[in-house]
Every structure is written in C-alpha cells, then in structure tokens.
Amino acid sequence: MENSEIPNTQPHRTTTAGTIRCIKLENFMCHSNLVIELGDYVNFITGQNGSGKSAILTALCVAFGSRAKATNRAATLKDFIKTGCSYASVQVVLKNEGADAFKPELYGESIIIERRITESSSSLVLKDHHGKRVSNKKEEVRELVEHFNVDVENPCVIMSQDKSREFLQSGNAKDKFKFFFKATLLQQVDDLLHSIEQHLEIANELVQELERSIEPVVRELNELQEKIKNTEHVEELSERVKQMKFKLAWSWVYNVDKEVLKQSTVVEKMKSRLPACQAEVDLRLEKIEGLRKIYAEMRSRYEHMMQKASEVNTLKDELDKNLSAATMHMRQLEQEYDRKMGDIQKMMKHVASLKRQVHDIEEQTLQNTQAEETEMQEKLKVLQDELDAANALLASVKEEETLLAESFSSRKDEVRKLGDQTLTQGNVWACAVENAIGRVLNAFIVTSVKDSHILRSCAREVHYDHLQIIIYKFSVPRYNILHNQLPQTRHPTTLSVLHSDSDTVMNVLVDKGSAERQVLVKDYDTGKTVAFGERVPNLKEVYTAEGYRMFSRGSVQTILPPNKRARTGRLCSSFDDQIKDLEKDALFVREQFQNARQQKRAAEDEVRVLHEKLQSIKRRCHAAVRDSTSKKLAFDSLKCTYAAEAGGLNSSSVDELCEEISRVQANIQEKETLLEGLQVQINDSKIKVSNLKASLGNLHESANEDLVALSKAEKEFEDIAKELDELKMEKLHYERVLKEKTLPDIQEAEAKYQQLEQKRKDYYEKASYMCPENEVEAMGGFKESTPEQLSAQLTRMNERLERARDKYTESIDDLRNLYEKKQRKILTKQKTYGNFRNQLQDAKRALQSRRQKFDRSATLMKRQLTWKFNANLAKKGISGQIKVDYKEKTLSIEVKMPQDASSTAVRDTRGLSGGERSFSTLCFALALHQMTESPFRAMDEFDVFMDAVSRKISLDTLVDFALAHGSQWIFITPHDISMVKQDERVKKQQMAAPRS
C-alpha cells in the first residue's frame, strides 16, 4: 500500500499516550506482509473491496486480546492464518510519551504488542521501544488495557464492518438500546452488579446453612437452661410463699392507711370549701358596688353625647344649603364661557374662508402665465429625442461590425488540438475515456517522495502550482487481472480500450482510476440498463460514448452529464479523421468570413448615410434652439405685461378682503379678553365649591365618630346593667350552698375518720407480731396490691410449689456444669457466623449504594446523549431527540426533517431515506463517542447507504468532530475520499488493489 499524500513538514503537538504509531501484519488473513503507519489525528484508509481494509481492525482486536468469535470473522484464532502459511503475526506499536505513559521507565517511548498465532497455540508478548521482550502475562496486558481505557469490544472504540452495517440498518429499538448500553459501558457495570448480587445470594445461603448447623446444639443448650431455671424456680417459689404471707398481713394495715388518708383528704377538702364560699359572697358584694358607680357615670355621659349630636345635625343642614348655591353660580359662569367660545370659533372659520378666496385668485393668475412656457418646452424635447435615436442607431451598427470580426478570429483558433495518447478502437471512446480517467492522465508518476519534492520545486520555478503527483513503485510488474475480478458484461472496459507499453502507467490506471471496473457503452439508454438494471458484478461506473457517467451506491442511482471542458483529442488513435473535420470547419469559416465582409461593407454604407442624416438633424437642432431662445424672450415680456393687467383687475377685490379679515381678527381679540375674565370667575367659584365640600366632609367625619362613640356607650350601658343583675343572683346562690350542704357534710366525714383510725391500730399490732415492717419493705414492696389480690396469689403459689417439687428432682449444680460446658462450645461458632453475617450486610448496603449511583449515572447519560445527538443533527438543519427506557430496554430516535410542514417527528428512522437514516444514525454514534474516552477510535464502512450529499456532510462532520475531540481516529471506507477537506492533521492512505 502506498500513501498518496505528501508528508507534512510542519511541527505537530505532543501526541497522547496510547495512540497507535504503526500496525504490522504478517500472514494474517489476506495479507502476507503489510505495514500501516498512522497519523496522530485523523486517518482515512480506502481501497477496493477485497483489498484487506477490514483486516486491519480485526488485527487490532486480536492484538488487544479479543477472542476469535468476538471479531465475527472466524471461529478460532488459527482461522486467521493465511492459506498456505504455518503462522500469523500481528504487531501494534503504541506511543508511550507524556504524563499518561504506562510504566515509561520499563517500556520507554513506545510499547509493542505482538500476538503470534500458530495452528496449535497463540502467544501475546509486550516489548519495549527497542523490541526487547518485557512480559507475556495476561495480567500485564489487562493492566495496559485498563490504563489506556482501550476496550476493543466497545463499538465506540472499534466499530467493525459487521457492527457498522448492523448498526446502520437496524431500526429495532431494543437493538439500538443494546448498542448504547454496551458503548457507554453501562452494560459492563450492570453485568458486574448482577454478578455481585448473585455472589451475595450464594454467600447468604452458605451463612444460613452454617447457622442452621448449630441449631440442634442451641436447642439442647436452651433445654438445659430451661431445666436450670425451673429448678431454681422451685427454690424461689418456696421463699416467695413465705414472703407472701408476711406481705398479706401488712397489706391489711396499708389498706386501712389508704382509707384513713383518703378520708382525711375528704375532711380537709370539705373544710376548705367554707372560706372559698364566703370569699365568693364577699367578691360579688364588692363588684356590685363598683358597677353601681360606673352605671351612674355612663348615664351622665350618654345624655351629653345626645346633645352634641343634635348640634352637628343643625350645622350640616347649613353647609348643604351654601354648597348648592355655590354650585349653581359656577354652572351659570361655565355656560356663559361656552357661548362666547362658540362665537370666536365662528369668526375664525370666516377668516379662513376669506384667506382661501385670496389664495384662489393668486393661483389662477400663475397658471395662465405658465401654459405658453410649457408648450415651448415640449417642442424642444421632440427635437432632442430625434437626435438621441440617430446616435443609438449608429452605435448598434458599429457593435455588429465588431462581433463579426471576433467571430472570424475565433473560427481560426478551433483547429489547434493536442494529443499524446492512443486508443485501440479509434475515436469511438475518446470522450468516454477522457471523462473516466482524464484526471489521472494529468498526473506525473514518480518512484519516491524525494523525487516528488524535486518535481514540485521545478514546477514552482515555472509558476505551475496545481501539480498532481502519484508516488508508485516502477518495479511492480503489470497486473494480471483475472476474469472473475472484471465486470461480467459484453461491453468493453476503460482498461481494455487503452494501450501503453509502460507497465507502471497501466498499474496506476488500475490502482488510482479503477479503469478495470469502468464499463463503456454506445448510448445513454444502454448505459442506464447496464448501470441500474443488470446488477453487473465488479462494476464501479458506466460511461457512454457522449461522456455521461452512471453509478449506484446502495439504493441511490446517480447520472452525471459530460464534462464540457474534457480534452478528447489527446486520446485519438489517428489524426486523419480529425484533420478532415478541421478542413471542413475551415471551409465553413471562410464562407462565413466572405459573408461577414459583405455585411461589413453594407454596414459601412449605412453608417455613412446615418452620419449625413445626423449632421442634418444637428443643424435642425441648432436652429430649433435659436428659435426657442427668441420665443422665450418674447414670452418673458408677455408675462410681465399680463401680470400688470391682471394686477389692475384683481387688486381692488383683494384689498377689500384683507380689510374685512383685519376687522374680524380685531373682534376675535376683544372676545378673547372677555373670556379670560370669565375664566377667572369660574376658577374662583370652583375653589369656593371645593372648600365647602371639604368642610362638609370634615363635618361628616366628625359626626360619624360621635355616632360610633354614642353607639358604643349605649351598648356598654346595657352590658353593665345586665352584669349587675347576674352578680346579685350569684351572691344568693353561694349563701344557700354554705348553709344547706357544706356544714352537714363536714360533720359526717369527721365521724367516719375516727372509725378508720381505730381499725388501723388493730391490724398493725397483728402484722408486727408476724414480721417487722422494715423486712417487708426490703422484700420489694406490695402497697399497690389489695389484701384480696395477695390472698389469691398466695393460694396459687402454694399449688405451683407442690407441683414443681413433684416434677423437678435433679441437682441444680449438675445442670449448671453441663450447661457451661456446652455454652463454651457454641459461643465460638456463633461469634464467627455473626461476623460473616455482618460482613454480608455491609456488602449488601454497598451494592445498594452502587446500584443507586449507577441509576443516577444512567439517567444523566440519557440526557447527555439527547443533547449531543441534537447538536450533531443541527449541522444538516435537522432536529430530533433520543428516548431511552431502561425498564423496557428500548432506545428510540425521533428525527424531524426541515422540509416537513407538519409538527410530527419521524419516530422510526426506517421511515427516512437511506442517506438521512445513515446520517442520523451517524449523529447518534458521534454522540456516543463524546460520552466515551479512548486514546484511539476506528470505524469501518461508516458511510454505507448514503447518497452523495449526506456522505459529504457526514465526512465533514466526522473530520470536524475527530479534530475537535483530540484523540486518534481511523476511518475505513471503500468509497472515494477526495471530497474530504485538506488539513495537515488528516492523513489519507490507499490500499493496493487485490491481485491474483
């Protein structure tokens, strides 16, 4: 493979560690020995189908440790070995410079990854920049891949041919979700979380099994503990029966104490009511006296306020009367003002009418004086138009004469032709072949880059800048192209009608011009049938004898017209026919020249006649100018005479009108003076009315406040009288309660208290005889229980004690020794299993936290994907969005075309044309690229199913994105990449055509 680009001598920036410097293949797939050197930024690799382009990406995957099935190109690694060879080798050289370098002290500035495959085994070796072996461990390779973040199975790092076709053709929402889920590494994280969940479930089952294994021993231990408790319970029960008897005796004492205390409280409470009832009676007496004083004051205040309200009503009536009189006077003044204003307006209209009469008289006079002047100007204009027409006719005759001369000169130049190539079938295919490979015929072929530099310097010395150079090995023999590699048709190809003794020239026409796959046909209809109807294998393009170009790319059919600037003469096999044609053209040109000479003589005669006519018109024009000047002088004198006569006729009427205008204006001035006096009186009346209204408003406000205060005082007066009656009734109530109920109840309660005191003394003497009180209190107390409850408990405890003594006969010491022995054995296992359970719970909590973080990251990636996808679509004037459903595992793309008048988006990309679908899917892939990180990326056949426009936009979009993104990019395509814009960071490489 040769590079068609001249190396750029400008300095580059320091490249990123992890980018690919070189790929070397030996006996790998279809390559015997292939070396690919890649640029630091954007690399385009193109070539014919079968030239081994896709093998480059397959080799990359294999070099980074991928299995054969993961590449979709083979079942086992040995299938990659070229037929007839015993081994295959893939070597990838990575740059290892900068801050992100991987173990630079060990590998140096480059890392060589070499994978060697034989029939029985394969090995992967890492070497330093000198080629010295450093490691062959898989862990080292995995550490390298993780360090540079190179996941070759991620379609956003390496999109192989199969993945590209599947990705571009698929309209299934679940397939697109799988692609997105894998490309963003979400699938890897999700699988890892699911794997952890499964491991935790297994660990939980193991811990449960361990815990179940000690359950029988725990049950035995519990049974022993229960026996010990029961035996201890018998001894405790005997002691509690004894204590219960003591408590029962003292419970009767404490029970009487409660009744005594309760009765004492009742007596004290009844006695406390006496001063309270008396205090209530005294309080009511005091309140009654105070309310009586307030009642007298309120009555005096109420009478004073009633008198003040009467005075306010009298003042209000007087103000209302004054306000009505002032308002009536103001309205009379305003009516007088309106009448005088109407008179002034009528006078002003009369003045305007008089002024219009004066203006009409003056305008009529001016129109009469200008009529004759206009007539003279029109006569002069007619003469000038005749002169201009004569000049225009003369100019047109001269122009026709010049065109005839130029036509004759151009006919002479048509016989100059140039030719240096030969066709095997005469001039039949000259136009077709020129349109097919004319661009390649303009190129120079050199054997090295050094020669290309020398040739360019020579071209610059003669100021020839548009020089096309092809670097090719002259030692390569002429290609022997097999029949099955040619288009299967009866029509000739471009290569079959060409003849050259140079093997290099013929090879270049195959590699650079694809001449062996260009079919030549006689006419337009035959070309359409071959190009679009017959589906001819190995066919690239069809050219007609007239120069039409026809080809199809996917579902897009294209027909291009002939290049009008094509040079067909240089491909003629014989010049005899062309010379005859040129002689016929020369004879025709001579006849045209003779006709042109006769037309020229006729035109010269016509010009001479026109010159004479022009001189005559000029003499008439000078005479008309002199006549016009004399008439203008006579018109000016006539105008002065007419103005004097018209002034005498109209001066008297105009003076009378002016005098009448002066009289009316004086009358208007007098009326306006009277209006000013009326305006002053109206303003005074308005001020007086305003003051009266303000006084009346203040009076209303003051009266309203007094009325509110009067109403409030009246309500307070009624409330005080009602409260006084209620206090009198309450006083009588408390006096009756004190006499009839409180005193008799106190006497009865005191008698009952004396009886309880005697009863308590008898119970105390009996209980002290059985047990001192302090010993009973030390037993825990029982004052909350009644004697009846304690007696029932004692009966039950005696029964339980008898049954327990009959049931439990073992020694308590023997039971305790056996329990301690089994307990020591089980505690160690329980502690160990408890630690297992705690660690398992910690792991589950950590997994839950990571699952929550994963869900948040997935939601953010979904939003980011839609933003970046829409931004890429906007470069073609398209808008859209992406909807991701993680629950249903679907991803749908919505696209709205700019020409769509409706607001409905195209939800399924299969509803778009092939180019639009490919471009929108490419925008989706670029959005995924922006969300992933890798030092290099590769895409194979990314531009399938695209028409010419979509492919041009897609190429520009890819290059701009790749240059802006910064990492290394490798684009592989079978199509023409000449439309890719030129840039020092873009490197284009052409794969050699497949050979037999």
Side-chain angles (χ1 to χ4, degrees):
M1 186 185 73
E2 298 296 335
N3 185 0
S4 62
E5 287 289 320
I6 302 302
N8 196 302
T9 58
Q10 295 183 1
H12 291 284
R13 65 162 173 81
T14 303
T15 55
T16 305
T19 57
I20 301 173
R21 178 173 288 168
C22 179
I23 302 174
K24 299 178 181 179
L25 307 180
E26 186 177 355
N27 300 332
F28 186 83
M29 295 181 73
C30 63
H31 296 288
S32 298
N33 191 355
L34 177 68
V35 178
I36 300 289
E37 294 185 358
L38 300 177
D40 297 332
Y41 297 93
V42 180
N43 297 269
F44 278 93
I45 299 176
T46 182
Q48 301 177 16
N49 292 332
S51 59
K53 304 184 298 299
S54 300
I56 298 172
L57 297 190
T58 304
L60 268 180
C61 295
V62 170
F64 281 95
S66 289
R67 295 172 300 169
K69 291 183 178 179
T71 63
N72 294 326
R73 305 302 294 267
T76 60
L77 287 176
K78 66 181 181 180
D79 294 337
F80 291 125
I81 302 175
K82 187 177 179 181
T83 304
C85 300
S86 60
Y87 73 94
S89 174
V90 176
Q91 193 178 87
V92 178
V93 181
L94 300 180
K95 293 189 177 181
N96 195 42
E97 303 172 356
D100 296 332
F102 177 72
K103 298 181 181 180
E105 71 283 354
L106 189 61
Y107 290 95
E109 62 184 15
S110 298
I111 299 176
I112 301 174
I113 305 174
E114 182 178 355
R115 191 163 192 178
R116 188 177 181 87
I117 304 170
T118 63
E119 291 289 339
S120 59
S121 64
S122 69
S123 61
L124 187 62
V125 179
L126 296 180
K127 300 180 180 180
D128 62 9
H129 65 290
H130 293 301
K132 181 180 179 181
R133 176 175 175 176
V134 176
S135 174
N136 63 345
K137 296 180 179 180
K138 292 183 178 180
E139 291 76 10
E140 184 78 4
V141 177
R142 187 181 299 109
E143 185 179 356
L144 171 70
V145 169
E146 292 177 354
H147 177 82
F148 288 127
N149 194 25
V150 178
D151 183 7
V152 293
E153 294 185 2
N154 186 342
C156 277
V157 176
I158 294 181
M159 183 182 287
S160 64
Q161 185 180 106
D162 296 330
K163 291 179 181 178
S164 178
R165 291 181 181 276
E166 178 184 357
F167 175 65
L168 292 175
Q169 286 181 328
S170 175
N172 191 316
K174 290 188 177 293
D175 292 341
K176 283 187 169 58
F177 177 83
K178 291 178 182 178
F179 188 90
F180 158 75
F181 211 50
K182 184 175 182 180
T184 55
L185 301 182
L186 289 174
Q187 181 178 353
Q188 180 180 348
V189 178
D190 187 58
D191 293 343
L192 181 60
L193 292 176
H194 281 302
S195 174
I196 294 173
E197 288 176 354
Q198 294 174 356
H199 283 85
L200 289 178
E201 290 177 358
I202 295 172
N204 186 50
E205 293 176 356
L206 291 174
V207 173
Q208 289 179 352
E209 185 177 352
L210 291 173
E211 290 174 345
R212 286 194 296 271
S213 67
I214 63 174
E215 288 180 358
V217 182
V218 172
R219 284 195 296 271
E220 292 179 6
L221 195 64
N222 291 336
E223 291 174 358
L224 277 175
Q225 189 176 11
E226 185 66 24
K227 288 182 179 181
I228 293 171
K229 287 182 180 179
N230 291 330
T231 307
E232 292 175 347
H233 181 64
V234 173
E235 297 179 355
E236 292 176 0
L237 192 59
S238 177
E239 183 66 23
R240 286 170 58 192
V241 168
K242 183 179 179 181
Q243 293 176 357
M244 184 62 69
K245 293 179 180 179
F246 298 152
K247 290 180 181 180
L248 179 60
W250 280 101
S251 68
W252 290 106
V253 177
Y254 295 149
N255 188 52
V256 175
D257 286 343
K258 291 179 182 178
E259 293 180 0
V260 170
L261 181 61
K262 182 178 180 182
Q263 190 63 28
S264 175
T265 303
V266 170
V267 173
E268 293 297 330
K269 185 177 181 181
M270 289 182 177
K271 288 183 178 180
S272 66
R273 292 178 184 174
L274 290 175
C277 289
Q278 188 62 45
E280 291 291 337
V281 173
D282 296 340
L283 179 61
R284 266 62 178 182
L285 287 173
E286 184 178 354
K287 286 184 177 181
I288 289 171
E289 292 298 327
L291 286 175
R292 284 175 178 171
K293 292 180 182 180
I294 296 173
Y295 182 78
E297 292 176 358
M298 288 298 297
R299 178 179 291 279
S300 175
R301 181 182 172 191
Y302 179 72
E303 292 175 353
H304 176 70
M305 293 177 72
M306 289 294 290
Q307 183 181 358
K308 185 176 180 182
S310 178
E311 294 174 357
V312 169
N313 288 331
T314 304
L315 180 59
K316 176 179 175 297
D317 293 338
E318 184 179 352
L319 285 174
D320 285 337
K321 184 177 179 181
N322 293 336
L323 178 61
S324 298
T327 303
M328 183 177 296
H329 184 254
M330 184 183 69
R331 289 176 179 172
Q332 291 174 355
L333 291 175
E334 289 177 346
Q335 290 174 359
E336 181 65 21
Y337 180 85
D338 291 339
R339 285 194 299 271
K340 294 188 180 297
M341 181 59 74
D343 294 340
I344 291 174
Q345 290 177 353
K346 290 179 181 179
M347 292 178 183
M348 292 178 70
K349 289 180 180 178
H350 183 57
V351 170
S353 176
L354 294 174
K355 287 183 177 179
R356 283 197 297 270
Q357 292 179 15
V358 173
H359 179 267
D360 291 342
I361 293 172
E362 292 176 350
E363 185 176 2
Q364 183 64 35
T365 303
L366 182 61
Q367 290 177 355
N368 293 333
T369 56
Q370 290 178 349
E372 187 173 353
E373 182 179 1
T374 303
E375 183 180 357
M376 295 301 298
Q377 292 291 342
E378 290 178 352
K379 290 181 179 180
L380 183 60
K381 185 176 182 299
V382 170
L383 293 175
Q384 187 64 40
D385 291 342
E386 292 180 359
L387 179 60
D388 293 340
N391 286 327
L393 183 59
L394 180 61
S396 64
V397 172
K398 288 184 177 180
E399 183 179 357
E400 184 178 357
E401 180 182 1
T402 303
L403 291 174
L404 288 172
E406 292 177 354
S407 174
F408 178 75
S409 176
S410 63
R411 287 293 182 176
K412 290 182 178 180
D413 296 334
E414 289 184 356
V415 297
R416 300 186 186 129
K417 299 291 181 179
L418 177 64
D420 57 358
Q421 296 294 333
T422 300
L423 292 176
T424 60
Q425 298 183 22
N427 298 331
V428 176
W429 304 115
C431 181
V433 173
E434 180 65 36
N435 280 275
I437 62 169
R439 183 176 58 85
V440 181
L441 295 178
N442 295 332
F444 292 84
I445 304 175
V446 298
T447 188
S448 65
V449 175
K450 181 179 179 182
D451 290 348
S452 70
H453 289 317
I454 296 172
L455 183 58
R456 285 194 186 279
S457 63
C458 294
R460 282 195 293 270
E461 291 178 0
V462 296
H463 306 290
Y464 184 70
D465 298 328
H466 304 288
L467 188 64
Q468 182 180 357
I469 300 176
I470 298 174
I471 303 174
Y472 206 87
K473 292 182 179 179
F474 285 15
S475 59
V476 176
R478 180 175 298 201
Y479 292 157
N480 181 18
I481 302 175
L482 299 179
H483 179 70
N484 59 359
Q485 295 177 340
L486 295 173
Q488 304 302 312
T489 178
R490 59 185 176 81
H491 300 283
T493 63
T494 302
L495 188 65
S496 66
V497 301
L498 290 174
H499 172 74
S500 177
D501 295 333
S502 173
D503 294 343
T504 301
V505 171
M506 299 303 288
N507 289 346
V508 168
L509 290 176
V510 172
D511 287 341
K512 302 300 180 182
S514 301
E516 82 283 6
R517 295 194 294 132
Q518 295 171 342
V519 174
L520 308 179
V521 297
K522 292 292 185 180
D523 52 36
Y524 184 87
D525 294 334
T526 305
K528 288 181 64 177
T529 302
V530 174
F532 309 134
E534 296 182 356
R535 299 185 178 274
V536 178
N538 302 322
L539 173 64
K540 180 180 181 182
E541 297 166 330
V542 174
Y543 288 89
T544 68
E546 297 86 356
Y548 283 94
R549 178 189 178 193
M550 304 177 184
F551 61 91
S552 60
R553 299 291 184 264
S555 60
V556 180
Q557 299 178 353
T558 305
I559 299 176
L560 301 178
N563 185 0
K564 295 181 179 180
R565 294 178 293 178
R567 300 166 56 196
T568 59
R570 58 181 176 176
L571 296 175
C572 293
S573 59
S574 174
F575 289 100
D576 293 338
D577 296 337
Q578 192 172 10
I579 291 172
K580 292 179 181 179
D581 293 339
L582 291 176
E583 288 177 350
K584 292 179 181 179
D585 291 343
L587 180 60
F588 178 72
V589 169
R590 291 192 192 99
E591 293 176 355
Q592 286 190 333
F593 179 69
Q594 294 296 332
N595 294 334
R597 291 185 64 180
Q598 294 176 1
Q599 292 177 6
K600 181 180 179 183
R601 284 195 294 270
E604 289 174 350
D605 295 338
E606 188 175 355
V607 168
R608 186 170 57 258
V609 173
L610 287 174
H611 272 296
E612 294 175 355
K613 186 176 181 181
L614 179 62
Q615 294 299 326
S616 174
I617 291 172
K618 286 183 178 180
R619 288 193 295 271
R620 289 169 56 196
C621 183
H622 289 311
V625 170
R626 288 195 300 272
D627 187 28
S628 175
T629 304
S630 62
K631 287 185 178 182
K632 187 175 182 182
L633 294 174
F635 172 73
D636 291 339
S637 62
L638 179 62
K639 185 177 178 181
C640 294
T641 304
Y642 180 78
E645 292 176 354
L649 293 173
N650 297 318
S651 59
S652 60
S653 60
V654 172
D655 292 339
E656 291 175 359
L657 291 174
C658 291
E659 288 177 1
E660 186 175 356
I661 290 171
S662 299
R663 287 196 302 272
V664 174
Q665 288 178 343
N667 195 1
I668 290 172
Q669 184 68 31
E670 181 180 355
K671 298 254 183 220
E672 288 177 347
T673 303
L674 294 176
L675 282 177
E676 290 177 359
L678 287 174
Q679 186 65 47
V680 172
Q681 293 179 16
I682 290 171
N683 292 337
D684 293 340
S685 297
K686 287 182 178 180
I687 293 171
K688 184 176 180 181
V689 171
S690 177
N691 292 335
L692 288 173
K693 287 182 178 179
S695 299
L696 185 59
N698 293 333
L699 180 61
H700 275 296
E701 184 178 355
S702 176
N704 288 334
E705 293 177 357
D706 292 340
L707 288 174
V708 172
L710 180 61
S711 177
K712 185 177 179 182
E714 184 177 0
K715 187 176 183 305
E716 290 178 358
F717 182 73
E718 292 176 355
D719 293 341
I720 291 171
K722 184 177 179 181
E723 186 178 359
L724 185 60
D725 294 337
E726 291 176 354
L727 288 173
K728 289 178 180 180
M729 294 298 294
E730 291 176 0
K731 174 178 171 294
L732 293 174
H733 169 72
Y734 282 109
E735 288 177 348
R736 185 168 57 253
V737 169
L738 182 62
K739 182 178 179 180
E740 298 178 356
K741 183 171 178 59
T742 304
L743 292 176
D745 290 344
I746 291 174
Q747 293 173 358
E748 183 180 355
E750 287 179 345
K752 187 176 181 180
Y753 176 77
Q754 294 297 329
Q755 294 175 359
L756 291 173
E757 281 286 343
Q758 183 61 40
K759 188 176 181 180
R760 194 263 180 197
K761 183 177 178 181
D762 295 339
Y763 284 151
Y764 183 80
E765 289 177 356
K766 292 179 180 180
S768 299
Y769 178 77
M770 293 179 66
C771 175
E773 184 178 7
N774 57 354
E775 291 183 6
V776 174
E777 291 178 354
M779 294 176 188
F782 56 90
K783 296 182 181 180
E784 301 299 328
S785 302
T786 63
E788 291 78 8
Q789 292 173 342
L790 292 175
S791 179
Q793 290 180 13
L794 180 60
T795 302
R796 291 192 296 271
M797 289 174 64
N798 283 324
E799 294 175 354
R800 290 170 57 192
L801 179 61
E802 293 299 328
R803 290 194 300 270
R805 283 175 176 173
D806 295 338
K807 184 176 181 181
Y808 302 107
T809 59
E810 293 180 284
S811 171
I812 190 170
D813 293 334
D814 294 341
L815 292 174
R816 285 174 178 169
N817 291 333
L818 182 60
Y819 177 81
E820 291 175 358
K821 183 179 179 180
K822 289 182 176 293
Q823 188 182 38
R824 286 193 298 271
K825 182 179 179 180
I826 200 65
L827 282 178
T828 302
K829 292 184 177 181
Q830 286 180 333
K831 185 176 180 180
T832 303
Y833 300 161
N835 291 332
F836 290 163
R837 175 63 64 186
N838 293 334
Q839 294 175 4
L840 189 61
Q841 294 298 328
D842 293 339
K844 287 182 177 179
R845 286 191 292 270
L847 176 62
Q848 184 178 7
S849 174
R850 282 164 173 76
R851 173 60 72 178
Q852 292 173 352
K853 291 180 181 178
F854 172 79
D855 293 339
R856 287 196 299 271
S857 299
T859 301
L860 293 175
M861 283 187 174
K862 176 172 67 174
R863 297 175 184 170
Q864 187 179 8
L865 179 64
T866 295
W867 296 335
K868 296 183 182 300
F869 172 70
N870 206 19
N872 291 331
L873 283 180
K875 296 178 181 178
K876 196 178 177 184
I878 307 174
S879 62
Q881 64 175 340
I882 294 177
K883 294 185 178 180
V884 181
D885 190 337
Y886 289 105
K887 184 177 181 181
E888 300 295 332
K889 296 185 181 299
T890 59
L891 184 148
S892 59
I893 300 177
E894 294 185 1
V895 179
K896 183 178 180 182
M897 306 307 296
Q899 68 272 15
D900 189 5
S902 66
S903 60
T904 304
V906 179
R907 297 185 179 273
D908 190 347
T909 54
R910 287 178 294 185
L912 301 171
S913 65
E916 293 167 348
R917 181 172 67 250
S918 299
F919 179 76
S920 61
T921 311
L922 179 63
C923 292
F924 170 49
L926 292 183
L928 291 177
H929 277 294
Q930 290 177 273
M931 298 168 62
T932 57
E933 292 293 336
S934 178
F936 66 85
R937 306 169 192 271
M939 298 177 71
D940 189 6
E941 292 197 4
F942 57 89
D943 52 356
V944 294
F945 313 119
M946 291 189 185
D947 54 24
V949 176
S950 296
R951 187 167 179 273
K952 177 65 170 65
I953 295 175
S954 299
L955 285 174
D956 292 342
T957 302
L958 276 174
V959 173
D960 293 340
F961 177 84
L963 294 178
H965 197 270
S967 58
Q968 187 183 43
W969 291 77
I970 305 170
F971 299 116
I972 297 178
T973 174
H975 301 299
D976 181 20
I977 58 172
S978 60
M979 64 180 67
V980 176
K981 65 180 181 180
Q982 301 296 325
D983 192 280
E984 62 177 1
R985 296 171 293 177
V986 177
K987 185 174 184 180
K988 305 175 186 178
Q989 302 187 64
Q990 174 78 37
M991 296 287 290
R995 300 176 178 84
S996 56

